[in-house]
Amino acid sequence: MSESVYKVIELIGTSSESWEKAAAAAVERAAKSLRDLRVAEVVELDLQLDAKGKIEAYRAKLNVSFKFEGT
């Protein structure tokens, strides 16, 4: 097996429906511009609230790794 290097970036996905959909949105968007995605780790979940305390959005912060091909 050859050696590889992976880069990790932090992303935040949002959804008006759930944390799962927020995480999925972040991964789906990353997949449009990054190749060889390997792992997505959810590191934090939070909520965006309106002035009355009602949930406006679910937010998921992820660390996403992909194979590094740069110099």
Side-chain angles (χ1 to χ4, degrees):
M1 179 176 179
S2 64
E3 296 178 3
S4 298
V5 174
Y6 297 89
K7 182 166 180 69
V8 177
I9 60 172
E10 183 176 82
L11 301 173
I12 299 173
T14 62
S15 168
S16 61
E17 297 178 35
S18 70
W19 283 304
E20 291 84 359
K21 289 188 178 185
V27 171
E28 288 170 12
R29 179 59 185 94
K32 290 181 180 180
S33 60
L34 301 171
R35 292 190 322 220
D36 293 326
L37 294 179
R38 299 298 174 153
V39 175
E41 173 190 15
V42 176
V43 294
E44 187 175 335
L45 300 172
D46 64 27
L47 300 167
Q48 183 177 349
L49 306 173
D50 67 11
K52 295 182 179 182
K54 183 179 176 188
I55 297 172
E56 286 188 336
Y58 295 85
R59 300 184 338 157
K61 184 184 293 185
L62 292 83
N63 287 334
V64 177
S65 68
F66 57 95
K67 193 170 184 180
F68 185 69
E69 298 176 357
T71 56

